[in-house]
C-alpha cells in the first residue's frame, strides 16, 4: 500500500489484537514484498500470539529465518528443544 509505513505503525499501536490479520496478510501472495516488515512488526508487538505465529513461520518461511529469529528474540521468547532445532 501507498501508506504502508503508517498502516504498520497503526498495527503496532493496536498491538496483539492485530496478529490474526497479520497472519492473513502473510498468507496472501500479494503481500510478499511486505513479509519481512510484517515479521519485524510481530517482534515489536510481542505477546504470546505473536510468538506463536513467529514460531509457526519458522517452518513456513525459510527465506526469512534470520528475521524471524531476531523478532522472536525481541519478544523475549524462550525456545524449546523442537524450536531450537528449527533455528
Amino acid at each position: 500500500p501507498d501508506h504502508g509505513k503508517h498502516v504498520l505503525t497503526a498495527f503496532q499501536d493496536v498491538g496483539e489484537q492485530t496478529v490474526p490479520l497479520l497472519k492473513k496478510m502473510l498468507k496472501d501472495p500479494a503481500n510478499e514484498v511486505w513479509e519481512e516488515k510484517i515479521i519485524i512488526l510481530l517482534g515489536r508487538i510481542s505477546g504470546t500470539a505473536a510468538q506463536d505465529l513467529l514460531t509457526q513461520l519458522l517452518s513456513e518461511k525459510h527465506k526469512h529465518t534470520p528475521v524471524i529469529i531476531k523478532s522472536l528474540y525481541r519478544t523475549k521468547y524462550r525456545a524449546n528443544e523442537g524450536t531450537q532445532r528449527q533455528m
Side-chain angles (χ1 to χ4, degrees), residues 7-48:
V7 172
L8 293 176
T9 301
F11 283 152
Q12 184 176 344
D13 291 344
V14 172
E16 205 168 0
Q17 298 167 349
T18 62
V19 172
L21 179 59
L22 294 172
K23 182 177 183 177
K24 260 187 184 174
M25 289 175 70
L26 284 167
K27 290 189 184 283
D28 185 350
N31 294 318
E32 190 172 351
V33 256
W34 290 96
E35 284 181 352
E36 191 169 318
K37 291 187 184 297
I38 293 170
I39 291 167
I40 292 168
L41 175 63
L42 286 166
R44 290 183 180 144
I45 290 173
S46 200
T48 307

